[in-house]
């Protein structure tokens, strides 16, 4: 597959030569869990929630507004139609979901960066969507395309990040109707990791597919998944025609979508965990079933963006125990559907990359690993409830993602790991620093941060008593300074440039 | 039991009147888990580790230096003695451990604060041992008795903290041979939560017991456990005579001890998880067996203080995945021994209560809950690898402990939690904020921080754009300002004062 992928990408001699001369930045393979999932719902609770979700679909139904084609598809499939309301007979949605694959490969232009989504795997992708950026020197400000490019470079340089993501920040200095072209161009040319497509208009989804055809080759895109894009459901139970239009484009082109309720508990879903899970399941069943009506076998991920709310201020709250319960439970429901699962991330409500941000983020990242998440969007860089992409927090979180890789390895129990010879060699009162087993194993034994402070107090003080944000600022600059663009066949680059230029000329700028 | 406890504490009319007039600060009940434990070791791995631990005890043995009485006890029990080396025949230590209770009540002078240690419970106690303190205004400095008192007050005021702890910081301004008297006096008079005794000399353990007899009554102490104290093992496999002397005093008085290896992996134990677990199990089996030789049935906790090391700097590292693997595994081993388990805490290597501190602490706290820890020492306030008790971090961590309480509740699935009426009432496109189910449930639905920032950006900026440390500084001052001493029978107070005064006169000060 890798070999075919390489040939498929139109790489001639020039591309191969460029590849050989490239500076390589290490990227860890996506996580393959060798640990169990943590499960909070009993079999009885799962069955109640599954029963109730079918009741919601059958009795209450879901809305597909302004979308006669979708209504027709549902009618043909046997749903009960009443205007824009679609009531789905018990069991039908689940049956339709069965054609969705339980795992798929998303190809990157560098086949070493391909990811397998589903099963025991966890793929980590950066923050998505914030209109603002923040760094220590510039403070909080509207994001620009220059910021966007920097985040794509940081993601490319981040060892524990497997995916380049999508809207790593919203480039507000570019026209709304054209910025998707520049964003995709950046992911394609500044990185060689897999990426996401545009969902803000069906035509922009089509542009994303067309640009992928240039990058990967026409036939390769028809035969393989090269994008995973984010389709949000307007919870409760509303399927926006723009998002559904983008989903239709991607499904018909065999490109993957995350189909994801976006829920602040108590506002877009009931204030209880079991009630929220019922709605999450009903919504994802309907959305995924619809993707399979568009194209049976289209790759999809069952998503669950869920968090709680501070009922005093109305602010969403992150890293909370209730969000954890919902995510653990949603993971169980996804596994029973045999579908890849997306949830969790570097979520926090804090305005700064401070202790609050880190507590909330660590709570969510750990819970994401243990809940069996297969695709974690927002795995680094999220700040202020998703309003801000933070440069410092991006590298702080990206460093912490290393702990998930090591945790997921589980515990070795072979003879070397048992270390009986070391215990014999050292004996009571001795120490292990110099013993043969330690010398042979220490390099790979413990996860080590590339960012955090492990220095003696006096050294740390002499160097300016820097906190984590200050260390992260230095790391951001260092990574951007070290960045080298991955090589690309010049013919492909020219074709991409030409496509973007031609598209930009085709219609006037819009900032609405 | 509570009623007997009250009578046992010598409370006459004055005490009862004082109790009625007290301002009450809410303390949550210790955590009773309604969620499963997370387990990383297979049955096969557990059996290998258990087999290897017995091999360590039998072939290598453990040292009980400078302790002829201990050696005699081991000889009488059937161990193979060679000088200070004790080799324990396969199965003997485990057999001796069987008389230790699987759970016990630690009584507090306020019976509402009694804790049950073991089973599905988790008791949270503050940081233990640091010689330094830090706060935002005073920086890092040697700890004094004044600092100690402040931490006891903060622990008393902290809703999610069930235990007053022991050496919340080391009062370095007091003589080494007398400071235990002031520390115990502070726990007894400034708080009514359960506490720990002194272990730095057997005579100081005896002083702790004697002071408890004043506080609780003579007979009550003989019949009930009123202290849980920390006995560290000198890993690898060495049982210090001072610590063992303190253990003997406590065991013979039915007082509980945590028997705990203190391990930085790669230095005091093998650099592998399975090897460290083998040593942890061998050491705790030997230590707990010894406690039962001193007094069959003495309450004990199987402890595991374990962390990893940065092999470049030699610094211990915290919140790491390897520490998590060891803790998850040690929890499994403790449950197979049917013993209460102590591990995890607010561990971090950071010099400041910043993002590093919070990532590392959140990693450890979450892991502690899921690994089935029954007694979590250091649950708040730990900074700089345990060198520093931080005032700000104390209240930051103590606030986060609320998330563990809510996580442990698990997921309700009754009709109210299913919320089908709410989903019907709201329907597609609606919102839940005003619906009947939300109104009826929102107050108890979501955990809410008492410290973190949930404000709108503009409000937060107007109020000074404070980070978590700044908010915590304010909270420390507020809590100390609100503090009111819990009432105490004046006769008991006088007797405690007199005991301390008399003991202080009995020998010269020593600062060694």
């Amino acid at each position: 597959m890798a070999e075919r992928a390489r040939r498929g990408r139109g790489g001639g001699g020039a591309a191969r030569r460029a590849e050989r001369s490239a500076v390589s930045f290490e990227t860890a393979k996506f996580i393959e869990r060798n640990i169990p999932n943590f499960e909070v719902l009993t079999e009885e609770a799962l069955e109640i929630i599954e029963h109730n979700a079918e009741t919601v679909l059958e009795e209450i139904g879901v809305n597909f507004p302004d979308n006669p084609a979708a209504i027709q598809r549902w009618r043909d499939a046997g749903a009960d139609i009443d205007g824009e309301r679609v009531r789905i007979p018990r069991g039908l949605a689940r049956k339709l979901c069965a054609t969705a694959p339980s795992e798929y490969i998303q190809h990157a232009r560098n086949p070493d960066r391909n990811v397998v989504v589903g099963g025991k795997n966890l793929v980590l992708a950066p923050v998505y969507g914030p209109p603002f950026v923040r760094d220590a020197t510039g403070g909080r400000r509207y994001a620009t395309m220059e910021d966007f490019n920097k985040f794509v470079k940081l993601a490319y340089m981040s060892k524990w990040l497997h995916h380049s993501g999508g809207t790593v920040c919203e480039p507000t200095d570019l026209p709304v109707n054209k910025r998707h072209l520049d964003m995709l161009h950046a992911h394609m040319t500044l990185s060689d990791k897999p990426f996401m497509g545009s969902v803000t208009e069906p035509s922009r989804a089509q542009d994303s597919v067309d640009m992928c055809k240039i990058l990967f080759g026409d036939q390769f895109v028809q035969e393989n998944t090269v994008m995973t894009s984010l389709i949000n459901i307007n919870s409760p139970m509303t399927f926006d025609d723009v998002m559904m239009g983008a989903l239709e484009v991607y499904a018909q082109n065999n490109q993957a979508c995350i189909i994801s309720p976006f829920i602040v508990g108590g506002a877009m879903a009931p204030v209880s965990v079991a009630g929220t899970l019922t709605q999450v399941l009903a919504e994802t069943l309907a959305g995924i079933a619809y993707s399979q009506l568009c194209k049976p076998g289209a790759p999809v991920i069952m998503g669950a963006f869920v968090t709680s709310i501070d009922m005093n201020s109305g602010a969403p709250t992150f890293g909370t125990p209730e969000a954890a319960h919902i995510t653990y439970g949603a993971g169980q429901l996804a596994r029973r559907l045999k579908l890849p699962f997306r949830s969790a991330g570097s979520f926090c409500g804090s305005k700064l990359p401070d202790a609050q941000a880190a507590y909330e983020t660590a709570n969510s990242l750990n819970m994401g690993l243990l809940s069996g998440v297969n695709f974690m969007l927002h795995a680094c860089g999220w700040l202020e409830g998703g309003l801000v992409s933070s440069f410092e927090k991006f590298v702080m979180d990206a460093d912490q993602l290393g702990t998930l890789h090591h945790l997921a390895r589980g515990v070795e129990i072979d003879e070397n790991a048992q270390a009986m010879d070391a215990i014999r060699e050292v004996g009571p009162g001795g120490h292990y620093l110099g013993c043969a087993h330690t010398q042979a194993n220490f390099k790979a034994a413990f996860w080590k941060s590339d960012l955090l402070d492990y220095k003696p107090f006096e050294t740390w003080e002499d160097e300016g008593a820097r906190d984590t944000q200050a260390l992260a600022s230095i790391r951001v600059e260092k990574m951007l300074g070290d960045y080298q663009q991955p090589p690309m066949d010049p013919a492909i680059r020219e074709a991409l440039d030409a496509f973007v230029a031609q598209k930009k000329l085709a219609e006037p700028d819009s900032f609405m």
Side-chain angles (χ1 to χ4, degrees), chain A residues 112-372:
Chain A
D112 293 340
R113 312 276 202 242
N114 290 357
V115 292
V116 181
V117 179
K120 288 183 160 291
N121 304 330
L122 170 55
V123 173
L124 300 169
V127 61
Y128 185 103
F132 297 101
V133 296
R134 176 183 276 280
D135 61 21
T137 49
R140 183 188 194 256
R141 58 194 185 272
Y142 275 105
T144 65
M145 194 62 211
E146 194 189 335
D147 295 313
F148 188 101
N149 288 340
K150 283 185 183 171
F151 280 116
V152 173
K153 291 175 182 177
L154 290 175
Y156 173 65
M157 304 276 289
S158 294
K159 177 175 176 183
W160 306 115
L161 212 52
H162 319 114
H163 204 281
S164 194
T167 310
V168 287
C169 62
E170 193 70 49
T172 60
D173 55 335
L174 298 185
V176 168
N177 60 336
K178 298 179 182 176
R179 60 177 68 149
H180 66 288
L181 300 165
D182 293 277
M183 292 195 277
L184 274 160
H185 190 272
H187 284 298
M188 290 176 171
T189 60
L190 299 177
S191 181
D192 64 3
K193 294 186 178 181
F195 53 82
M196 304 172 81
S198 176
V199 296
T200 52
E201 277 290 344
S203 67
R204 296 173 200 155
Q206 189 59 54
D207 286 346
S208 306
V209 172
D210 292 343
M211 287 178 75
C212 281
K213 288 180 179 170
I214 297 171
L215 184 67
F216 291 94
D218 226 85
Q219 200 190 335
F220 191 85
V221 171
Q222 286 312 315
E223 292 172 1
N224 295 285
T225 298
V226 297
M227 282 182 285
T228 298
S229 305
L230 177 63
I231 302 296
N232 277 326
I233 297 165
N234 267 5
S235 301
M237 282 110 74
T238 303
F239 294 78
D240 176 73
D241 65 310
V242 173
M243 282 280 169
M244 289 304 105
L247 170 62
E248 289 155 21
V249 170
Y250 286 126
Q252 281 154 1
N253 285 280
N254 261 324
Q255 301 307 309
C257 287
I258 306 164
I259 298 181
S260 196
F262 181 95
I263 290 176
V264 177
M268 294 89 134
V271 81
S272 66
V273 170
T276 298
L277 282 168
T278 300
Q279 187 181 311
V280 164
L281 182 58
E283 291 178 348
T284 50
L285 280 172
I288 292 168
Y290 183 67
S291 75
Q292 302 303 301
L293 288 178
C294 296
K295 170 88 176 249
V300 286
I301 300 176
M302 174 177 158
F305 178 99
V306 280
T307 194
S308 46
I309 192 171
D310 170 24
M311 282 289 182
N312 291 343
S313 65
T317 51
F318 296 93
T320 61
E322 292 76 25
H325 285 150
I326 296 168
T327 307
Y328 289 131
Q332 291 179 263
L333 294 167
R335 286 190 289 281
R336 285 160 73 99
L337 276 166
K338 298 189 172 54
L339 287 174
F341 174 48
R342 169 259 164 149
S343 197
S346 60
F347 298 141
C348 63
S350 188
K351 315 295 187 292
L352 297 171
D354 58 3
Q356 173 175 353
Y359 282 124
E360 292 173 339
T361 292
N363 288 349
S364 185
L365 293 179
N366 281 298
M367 171 271 286
L369 177 71
L370 300 189
S371 66

